[in-house]
Amino acid sequence: MTDNNGKSGIPASLATVLTHSGRASDEHFGFVNMPVFRGSTILFKSLDELEDYKAPYRYGRNDNPTTRALCDLISELEGAAGTIIAPSGLSAVSTALLAAVSAGDELLMTDSAYEPTRTFATEGLTRFGVTTRYYDPRIGAGIAELFTDKTKAIFVESPGSLTFEMQDLPAIAAAAHARGITVIVDNSWGTPLFHRPLEFGSDMVMHAATKMFVGHSDAMVGTVSANEKLWGRLKRTHRILGVAVSPDDSYLTLRGLRTLAVRMKHHDEAALAFASWLEGQPEVEEVYHPALPSHPDHALFKRDFSGAGSLFAFRLKKRSRDALAAMVNGFQLFGMGYSWGGYESLCIPFDPSNIRTAVAWDAPGQMFRVHVGLESLDDLKADMAAALTRYRAIA
Ligand SMILES: *Cc1c(COP(=O)(O)O)cnc(C)c1O
């Protein structure tokens, strides 16, 4: 296990992996980038070839050189035995979960999970006889008390979507492994540049690649990587489900990844600077950013992460809908929309209170989620300062 020990930044070796892996230029006339291989049918020259099930490419749904280059690159980044690519982050979630559980099993899921992840469990898995119980994201080693003979998987997301609680992954993984329970982590926020869950004992790690990997708000992609123990199961589940991604989207993800290190360095610094600035604004009740010393789980963040993502939340006093509309409708730079991870900043109001089932969310006020993009920080501060003024001006 890597103990970051307060170390910050992006491991130099991963910055090199991002620029050099998954290119195979020698095989493609020296062109720097892996080409897009569009296609379904792959022709065999002989009966011997047709019957050779070890051939690397046999049918477009299962095997594609562009997609395989992306798999290999992500496996290197996460330190995984193998990686599958899915046509969205949610499809990566469902593929990982279907690889981990069977009828009669029980899944433990963090109460802070991305909402559609919860919906797949409660609406989807329930139909196939898998039950889900939600746990307090701050449970740590106490998760062992929730285990029953039926518990087969734990779904961790750290920090949590919207509310940004950190989880004690080493403690959860140790408790799980003592009982042979599979641990899956949604690592979309930290990316493997700042946090590698397999090194902390998780069995599978997934990404909404739509967000930071693609990085330009122009494609939907998901990835799941597994350790040696789970790789066979994950690969087979992906195969039988027929979860195929467009090679064009694999290409866009590879292209996005080439600049991930410089983007993450910027997001890490800019989002933290913006969060500390917000913390100093009189209107702001609380800022939820794990890299801020004021965050209740800051020690876990420092221990297990070497940098922070682009996304955090803050809370204002509750005012009228008119005040909220005046605030968000007048943004010049912050866009209001779902997703995140692009070059452009976003700010969206939300209410976590009716999503939670394990621990109630009762902080009074209006929550906002912010994605700090690549704009000038001073321009973003000016846009937000004007928004706070508009909010304050209306009861
Ligand atoms: C967006 C998101 C997903 C789902 O990704 P899509 O590509 O939108 O399906 C999963 N987990 C987290 C944390 C996300 O933010």
Side-chain angles (χ1 to χ4, degrees):
M1 188 205 303
T2 299
D3 181 354
N4 286 319
N5 240 340
K7 258 188 261 139
S8 64
I10 295 162
S13 57
L14 293 190
T16 304
V17 167
L18 283 172
T19 46
H20 281 268
S21 289
R23 285 168 36 185
S25 303
D26 291 349
E27 295 165 27
H28 315 296
F29 311 100
F31 279 78
V32 167
N33 290 297
M34 171 60 76
V36 178
F37 284 84
R38 297 174 136 271
S40 50
T41 302
I42 296 155
L43 299 173
F44 303 98
K45 286 203 192 73
S46 66
L47 186 61
D48 280 352
E49 267 191 17
L50 180 69
E51 289 174 348
D52 176 12
Y53 281 85
K54 293 204 181 67
Y57 305 107
R58 295 181 52 81
Y59 184 50
R61 185 180 61 227
N62 302 328
D63 300 305
N64 178 288
T66 316
T67 299
R68 177 150 321 163
L70 176 60
C71 293
D72 293 346
L73 177 48
I74 291 169
S75 291
E76 266 191 83
L77 293 174
E78 289 286 6
T83 295
I84 62 94
I85 310 299
S88 70
L90 185 58
S91 165
V93 166
S94 57
T95 305
L97 284 170
L98 289 170
V101 294
S102 304
D105 290 349
E106 181 183 71
L107 165 69
L108 296 176
M109 182 176 281
T110 177
D111 208 21
S112 57
Y114 176 67
E115 197 179 4
T117 299
R118 295 178 69 115
T119 311
F120 174 71
T122 41
E123 262 181 61
L125 290 177
T126 307
R127 287 178 44 217
F128 302 98
V130 176
T131 52
T132 303
R133 274 193 296 154
Y134 293 92
Y135 67 85
D136 178 348
R138 296 198 164 105
I139 200 165
I143 199 157
E145 285 158 37
L146 301 182
F147 294 167
T148 69
D149 290 344
K150 293 184 167 177
T151 310
K152 290 290 152 54
I154 304 177
F155 193 96
V156 175
E157 190 186 320
S158 183
S161 271
L162 304 177
T163 46
F164 297 91
E165 299 92 336
M166 301 299 300
Q167 296 190 42
D168 191 343
L169 178 58
I172 290 172
H177 290 161
R179 296 280 294 262
I181 297 167
T182 300
V183 178
I184 307 166
V185 175
D186 185 332
N187 192 29
S188 304
W189 186 84
T191 82
L193 301 188
F194 292 144
H195 181 62
R196 283 168 302 285
L198 299 179
E199 293 178 2
F200 290 88
S202 108
D203 299 287
M204 286 191 259
V205 51
M206 54 78 37
H207 286 274
T210 307
K211 315 292 170 52
M212 298 312 321
F213 288 2
V214 167
H216 296 73
S217 308
D218 53 2
M220 306 288 304
V221 186
T223 75
V224 192
S225 306
N227 61 12
E228 286 292 347
K229 185 167 165 235
L230 267 296
W231 170 232
R233 182 78 177 247
L234 172 64
K235 187 180 178 186
R236 192 70 199 151
T237 305
H238 180 254
R239 174 71 61 106
I240 64 176
L241 288 172
V243 181
V245 69
S246 154
D248 293 277
D249 291 341
S250 291
Y251 181 85
L252 285 174
T253 312
L254 277 168
R255 190 165 77 163
L257 283 166
R258 301 302 177 198
T259 57
L260 184 68
V262 282
R263 287 187 287 111
M264 289 313 289
K265 185 171 187 302
H266 178 92
H267 290 301
D268 175 34
E269 291 164 3
L272 183 57
F274 194 72
S276 345
W277 172 80
L278 265 179
E279 222 175 16
Q281 303 307 301
E283 296 86 352
V284 175
E285 300 280 298
E286 191 162 359
V287 179
Y288 304 83
H289 189 310
L292 284 175
S294 60
H295 191 279
D297 308 322
H298 184 61
L300 282 181
F301 169 78
K302 289 266 285 189
R303 188 191 66 186
D304 298 346
F305 284 63
S306 63
S310 63
L311 204 66
F312 68 93
F314 69 96
R315 180 164 55 87
L316 301 179
K317 279 207 174 69
K318 190 88 186 165
R319 287 183 185 270
S320 64
R321 191 171 182 286
D322 285 350
L324 182 60
M327 177 180 165
V328 299
N329 293 352
F331 276 131
Q332 299 296 304
L333 298 178
F334 283 100
M336 192 167 41
Y338 294 104
S339 199
W340 52 277
Y343 51 83
E344 79 296 357
S345 292
L346 300 168
C347 178
I348 195 158
F350 68 94
D351 174 10
S353 60
N354 47 21
I355 302 173
R356 300 305 193 95
T357 52
V359 253
W361 180 268
D362 50 16
Q366 177 62 56
M367 297 283 288
F368 297 85
R369 187 182 75 172
V370 177
H371 162 69
V372 177
L374 305 182
E375 301 90 338
S376 137
L377 203 52
D378 286 341
D379 290 347
L380 290 177
K381 284 179 189 169
D383 198 30
M384 185 60 78
L388 293 174
T389 303
R390 289 193 297 277
Y391 191 64
R392 200 174 30 198
I394 301 173

